[in-house]
Amino acid sequence: MAEGPPRGRTPSPGPGGAPGPPSPRAAGAAAGSTAAPSPPAAAASKWVRLNVGGTYFVSTRQTLCREPKSFLCRLCCQDGPELGSDKDETGAYLIDRDPTYFGPILNYLRHGKLIINKELAEEGVLEEAEFYNIASLVRLVKERIRDNENRTSQGPVKHVYRVLQCQEEELTQMVSTMSDGWKFEQLISIGSSYNYGNEDQAEFLCVVSRELNNSTNGIVKEPSEKAKILQERGSRM
């Protein structure tokens, strides 16, 4: 009785010397060696890296595409050869603009508010908003610039000053009840002027001021009662 081939030995070739079909076990092993699938491309591309004038910024595509017609939306969400969207060695989009003024642009897209640091010029933010074609931000910056120009055209704020003389016992009440735009500026002691009982009562000069804004469109406003009292006290000097 002929014996079969030993276990573990390679099967004999088929007709014509060609190897025979793999066994089911071998086929299963080959299938199991396939590499694991890579994560979805959508999850990997949620974040976008930007190289603006040599400074890196990172944001989401949802933020950058908040303005559908903006440059950033066309660059990151509608990537095409017409924008010439070059990338650096890290894969960041290259944008040849001033990074100092890109911060307010990106923050506006994030929360919809215009926040400009004191050291930045509003005209610079406007220039960048126009370049990136963010229409709503352009309107907002222009409105702020116009408001600032209107305040400047009104000229410097003028003040009127009063010097009030009061005793020590009147000082606290006078300062605490001051209103109608009057503001405490300076307190000057002029020593003791008289005796009240067995105690010397000190006297003070109290300097107060308020903005000179008594007329609007040619109509002169009458001072209120509290303002009149302050003026009368000041006229005693």
Side-chain angles (χ1 to χ4, degrees), residues 219-232:
I219 302 175
V220 179
K221 297 181 179 179
E222 291 293 333
S224 66
E225 291 300 324
K226 291 184 178 180
K228 289 180 180 179
I229 295 174
L230 288 175
Q231 293 175 3
E232 290 173 358

Side-chain angles (χ1 to χ4, degrees), residues 110-179:
R110 285 169 173 161
H111 48 59
K113 296 181 181 179
L114 175 59
I115 301 176
I116 304 177
N117 295 335
K118 294 181 179 180
E119 62 270 15
L120 297 182
E122 293 171 338
E123 289 77 7
V125 179
L126 176 61
E127 183 71 21
E128 296 305 297
E130 290 177 341
F131 170 80
Y132 291 109
N133 194 29
I134 305 177
S136 59
L137 180 57
V138 170
R139 291 192 299 268
L140 191 58
V141 179
K142 285 184 176 180
E143 289 177 1
R144 178 173 293 190
I145 293 176
R146 184 168 56 251
D147 292 341
N148 290 339
E149 290 177 349
N150 291 337
R151 285 194 294 268
T152 304
S153 63
Q154 295 175 359
V157 178
K158 297 181 180 180
H159 292 81
V160 59
Y161 291 87
R162 298 288 184 187
V163 180
L164 311 178
Q165 184 177 0
C166 62
Q167 284 77 38
E168 183 178 0
E169 61 183 6
E170 301 173 338
L171 182 62
T172 303
Q173 182 180 2
M174 185 186 68
V175 174
S176 62
T177 58
M178 194 178 301
S179 61

Side-chain angles (χ1 to χ4, degrees), residues 199-213:
E199 297 179 358
D200 291 339
Q201 292 294 319
E203 279 198 294
F204 296 90
L205 296 180
C206 184
V207 182
V208 296
S209 70
R210 64 172 296 178
E211 292 185 7
L212 185 60
N213 187 23

